[in-house]
Amino acid sequence: MSDAVQLPEWASLSGTADAAVPLFACALLIARDEYPALDAAHCDAVLESHARHLRIEVDTIGQTPLKMQAINRHLFEEIGYAGNHDTYYDPRNSYLNAVIERRLGNPILLAVVQMEVARRLGVVLDGISFPGHFLVRLPVGDGMLVMDPFNGGRPLDIEELRSRAAPHVDGGPPDDDTLARLLRPATPRMMLMRMLRNLHGTYAEAEDWARAVRCADRLLSLAPDAPDALRDRGLGYLALGHVTGAREDLGQYVVRYPDASDVDAVREQLVHIGRTRDRAH
């Protein structure tokens, strides 16, 4: 691996300040679980080549939105990064090395590519954990330009943002204050957690419990107080027959989160565990 990108250790991340969590390196760290031979230096070099191709052009452009327009044109039209509409839940859409290789991804991984290339060109983008699809934002004066990396980096106006949010918000289209909250920047930690939750959902749906447990475990490395990750790891352990791990995680869940909406169901699982013998692992 080159000195350009060093992957951190999982154990170090819980104590790292949100702003200091390295998004690009940690996205590769997630991918390395599935691709142990992952070449981080190669991934870094590919994105650097995208930036190098644009650098002279972008440096000659004065207005930041026009810089962003040039970046989007190169990434989404010339190189061909695109949202994978046909097989949206393909796990490869959530692994950065595969997205870079295939030029296909889900919204948040395409956002990582867009944000990282822009960063190397001096354009700072924020991610937005918007309901439904992940978005990115570029500060412009007193406002922001909101873009959809899953659909070619297309800018979204306020009415489209309201309509996209409406199915996910009680009471219909959000008012100004609610929409402003939905458009707040996501920290790198929040983005990585969303990636892992996406993967966990895909693997749990496929009943691939070993990978689902791995995702929940990595979530707990990033955020030890994430209730859903503790519960999901315990349920995954139970599906694998690892009764000791399931008992520990689910027991901790009911103690630490007694007001959770599903705590009674988890208690029932613990009763079931009491009647089950652990499998050898």
Short mmCIF file of all heavy atoms in Angstrom, two decimals, residues 161-189:
data_model
loop_
_atom_site.label_atom_id
_atom_site.label_comp_id
_atom_site.label_asym_id
_atom_site.label_seq_id
_atom_site.Cartn_x
_atom_site.Cartn_y
_atom_site.Cartn_z
N LEU A 161 -37.17 18.29 -3.53
CA LEU A 161 -36.73 17.81 -2.22
C LEU A 161 -37.94 17.57 -1.31
O LEU A 161 -38.01 16.57 -0.60
CB LEU A 161 -35.77 18.81 -1.59
CG LEU A 161 -34.40 18.91 -2.25
CD1 LEU A 161 -33.64 20.13 -1.75
CD2 LEU A 161 -33.58 17.64 -1.98
N ARG A 162 -38.90 18.49 -1.35
CA ARG A 162 -40.11 18.30 -0.53
C ARG A 162 -40.86 17.04 -0.95
O ARG A 162 -41.30 16.25 -0.10
CB ARG A 162 -41.04 19.51 -0.67
CG ARG A 162 -40.58 20.77 0.01
CD ARG A 162 -41.72 21.80 0.02
NE ARG A 162 -41.21 23.15 0.16
CZ ARG A 162 -40.86 23.69 1.32
NH1 ARG A 162 -40.96 22.99 2.43
NH2 ARG A 162 -40.42 24.93 1.36
N SER A 163 -41.00 16.83 -2.24
CA SER A 163 -41.77 15.67 -2.70
C SER A 163 -41.05 14.37 -2.40
O SER A 163 -41.68 13.36 -2.08
CB SER A 163 -42.06 15.79 -4.20
OG SER A 163 -40.86 15.72 -4.96
N ARG A 164 -39.73 14.39 -2.47
CA ARG A 164 -38.97 13.17 -2.14
C ARG A 164 -39.08 12.85 -0.65
O ARG A 164 -39.12 11.68 -0.27
CB ARG A 164 -37.50 13.36 -2.51
CG ARG A 164 -37.20 13.28 -3.99
CD ARG A 164 -35.70 13.20 -4.20
NE ARG A 164 -35.33 13.12 -5.60
CZ ARG A 164 -34.17 12.63 -6.04
NH1 ARG A 164 -33.29 12.17 -5.17
NH2 ARG A 164 -33.90 12.61 -7.32
N ALA A 165 -39.10 13.88 0.17
CA ALA A 165 -39.15 13.66 1.61
C ALA A 165 -40.55 13.29 2.09
O ALA A 165 -40.69 12.61 3.13
CB ALA A 165 -38.67 14.91 2.35
N ALA A 166 -41.57 13.70 1.37
CA ALA A 166 -42.95 13.57 1.84
C ALA A 166 -43.33 12.15 2.29
O ALA A 166 -43.95 11.99 3.35
CB ALA A 166 -43.92 14.07 0.77
N PRO A 167 -42.98 11.09 1.55
CA PRO A 167 -43.38 9.75 1.99
C PRO A 167 -42.74 9.32 3.30
O PRO A 167 -43.21 8.36 3.93
CB PRO A 167 -42.92 8.84 0.83
CG PRO A 167 -42.73 9.74 -0.34
CD PRO A 167 -42.31 11.05 0.24
N HIS A 168 -41.68 10.01 3.70
CA HIS A 168 -40.94 9.62 4.89
C HIS A 168 -41.22 10.53 6.09
O HIS A 168 -40.63 10.34 7.16
CB HIS A 168 -39.43 9.65 4.59
CG HIS A 168 -39.05 8.85 3.38
ND1 HIS A 168 -38.87 7.49 3.41
CD2 HIS A 168 -38.84 9.25 2.09
CE1 HIS A 168 -38.55 7.06 2.20
NE2 HIS A 168 -38.53 8.11 1.38
N VAL A 169 -42.09 11.51 5.91
CA VAL A 169 -42.35 12.49 6.95
C VAL A 169 -43.84 12.47 7.29
O VAL A 169 -44.68 12.52 6.38
CB VAL A 169 -41.94 13.92 6.48
CG1 VAL A 169 -42.29 14.95 7.55
CG2 VAL A 169 -40.45 13.96 6.17
N ASP A 170 -44.15 12.38 8.55
CA ASP A 170 -45.56 12.44 8.96
C ASP A 170 -46.18 13.77 8.57
O ASP A 170 -45.57 14.83 8.75
CB ASP A 170 -45.69 12.26 10.48
CG ASP A 170 -45.31 10.85 10.93
OD1 ASP A 170 -45.37 9.93 10.08
OD2 ASP A 170 -44.95 10.66 12.10
N GLY A 171 -47.38 13.71 8.02
CA GLY A 171 -48.09 14.94 7.70
C GLY A 171 -47.84 15.48 6.31
O GLY A 171 -48.20 16.62 6.02
N GLY A 172 -47.19 14.68 5.44
CA GLY A 172 -47.02 15.13 4.06
C GLY A 172 -45.74 15.90 3.85
O GLY A 172 -44.79 15.79 4.63
N PRO A 173 -45.68 16.73 2.78
CA PRO A 173 -44.44 17.45 2.46
C PRO A 173 -43.93 18.26 3.65
O PRO A 173 -44.71 18.89 4.36
CB PRO A 173 -44.87 18.38 1.31
CG PRO A 173 -46.04 17.70 0.70
CD PRO A 173 -46.76 17.03 1.83
N PRO A 174 -42.63 18.23 3.90
CA PRO A 174 -42.08 18.92 5.08
C PRO A 174 -42.13 20.44 4.93
O PRO A 174 -42.01 20.98 3.83
CB PRO A 174 -40.63 18.43 5.12
CG PRO A 174 -40.31 18.09 3.69
CD PRO A 174 -41.59 17.55 3.11
N ASP A 175 -42.32 21.11 6.06
CA ASP A 175 -42.24 22.57 6.05
C ASP A 175 -40.76 22.99 6.01
O ASP A 175 -39.86 22.15 5.98
CB ASP A 175 -42.96 23.17 7.26
CG ASP A 175 -42.39 22.69 8.60
OD1 ASP A 175 -41.21 22.24 8.64
OD2 ASP A 175 -43.11 22.75 9.61
N ASP A 176 -40.52 24.29 6.02
CA ASP A 176 -39.15 24.78 5.85
C ASP A 176 -38.22 24.29 6.95
O ASP A 176 -37.07 23.90 6.69
CB ASP A 176 -39.14 26.31 5.81
CG ASP A 176 -39.74 26.86 4.52
OD1 ASP A 176 -39.94 26.08 3.58
OD2 ASP A 176 -40.00 28.09 4.47
N ASP A 177 -38.70 24.32 8.19
CA ASP A 177 -37.84 23.91 9.31
C ASP A 177 -37.51 22.43 9.23
O ASP A 177 -36.36 22.01 9.46
CB ASP A 177 -38.54 24.21 10.64
CG ASP A 177 -38.58 25.70 10.95
OD1 ASP A 177 -37.81 26.45 10.31
OD2 ASP A 177 -39.39 26.11 11.81
N THR A 178 -38.51 21.61 8.90
CA THR A 178 -38.27 20.17 8.79
C THR A 178 -37.32 19.87 7.64
O THR A 178 -36.39 19.06 7.77
CB THR A 178 -39.59 19.42 8.58
OG1 THR A 178 -40.46 19.68 9.69
CG2 THR A 178 -39.36 17.92 8.47
N LEU A 179 -37.51 20.53 6.52
CA LEU A 179 -36.63 20.30 5.38
C LEU A 179 -35.21 20.73 5.71
O LEU A 179 -34.25 20.04 5.34
CB LEU A 179 -37.15 21.07 4.16
CG LEU A 179 -36.40 20.80 2.85
CD1 LEU A 179 -36.47 19.33 2.47
CD2 LEU A 179 -36.96 21.67 1.73
N ALA A 180 -35.06 21.83 6.43
CA ALA A 180 -33.71 22.27 6.82
C ALA A 180 -33.03 21.22 7.68
O ALA A 180 -31.81 20.97 7.53
CB ALA A 180 -33.80 23.61 7.56
N ARG A 181 -33.78 20.59 8.58
CA ARG A 181 -33.19 19.53 9.41
C ARG A 181 -32.78 18.34 8.56
O ARG A 181 -31.72 17.73 8.78
CB ARG A 181 -34.18 19.10 10.49
CG ARG A 181 -34.36 20.11 11.61
CD ARG A 181 -35.05 19.50 12.82
NE ARG A 181 -36.41 19.05 12.51
CZ ARG A 181 -37.48 19.83 12.60
NH1 ARG A 181 -37.36 21.10 12.95
NH2 ARG A 181 -38.68 19.35 12.32
N LEU A 182 -33.60 17.99 7.58
CA LEU A 182 -33.29 16.85 6.71
C LEU A 182 -32.05 17.11 5.85
O LEU A 182 -31.40 16.16 5.38
CB LEU A 182 -34.48 16.53 5.82
CG LEU A 182 -35.74 16.03 6.51
CD1 LEU A 182 -36.88 15.88 5.51
CD2 LEU A 182 -35.49 14.70 7.23
N LEU A 183 -31.74 18.38 5.63
CA LEU A 183 -30.62 18.74 4.76
C LEU A 183 -29.34 19.05 5.53
O LEU A 183 -28.36 19.51 4.95
CB LEU A 183 -31.00 19.95 3.90
CG LEU A 183 -32.09 19.70 2.85
CD1 LEU A 183 -32.51 21.00 2.19
CD2 LEU A 183 -31.61 18.70 1.79
N ARG A 184 -29.35 18.77 6.83
CA ARG A 184 -28.12 18.98 7.61
C ARG A 184 -27.01 18.05 7.12
O ARG A 184 -27.26 16.92 6.69
CB ARG A 184 -28.39 18.72 9.08
CG ARG A 184 -29.21 19.81 9.77
CD ARG A 184 -29.56 19.41 11.19
NE ARG A 184 -30.32 20.44 11.89
CZ ARG A 184 -30.96 20.25 13.03
NH1 ARG A 184 -30.93 19.06 13.63
NH2 ARG A 184 -31.63 21.24 13.58
N PRO A 185 -25.75 18.51 7.22
CA PRO A 185 -24.63 17.66 6.79
C PRO A 185 -24.52 16.39 7.64
O PRO A 185 -24.76 16.41 8.85
CB PRO A 185 -23.41 18.55 6.99
CG PRO A 185 -23.93 19.94 7.08
CD PRO A 185 -25.30 19.84 7.66
N ALA A 186 -24.15 15.33 6.99
CA ALA A 186 -23.85 14.07 7.68
C ALA A 186 -22.36 14.01 7.97
O ALA A 186 -21.54 14.32 7.09
CB ALA A 186 -24.27 12.88 6.82
N THR A 187 -21.99 13.62 9.17
CA THR A 187 -20.58 13.44 9.49
C THR A 187 -20.05 12.18 8.79
O THR A 187 -20.82 11.31 8.40
CB THR A 187 -20.37 13.28 11.00
OG1 THR A 187 -20.98 12.04 11.42
CG2 THR A 187 -20.99 14.45 11.77
N PRO A 188 -18.73 12.07 8.65
CA PRO A 188 -18.18 10.83 8.10
C PRO A 188 -18.65 9.59 8.86
O PRO A 188 -18.96 8.56 8.24
CB PRO A 188 -16.67 11.04 8.22
CG PRO A 188 -16.49 12.52 8.14
CD PRO A 188 -17.67 13.10 8.86
N ARG A 189 -18.72 9.67 10.19
CA ARG A 189 -19.17 8.52 10.97
C ARG A 189 -20.62 8.15 10.60
O ARG A 189 -20.94 6.97 10.42
CB ARG A 189 -19.08 8.82 12.47
CG ARG A 189 -19.31 7.58 13.33
CD ARG A 189 -19.34 7.94 14.83
NE ARG A 189 -18.18 8.72 15.22
CZ ARG A 189 -17.00 8.20 15.52
NH1 ARG A 189 -16.82 6.89 15.51
NH2 ARG A 189 -16.00 8.99 15.87
#
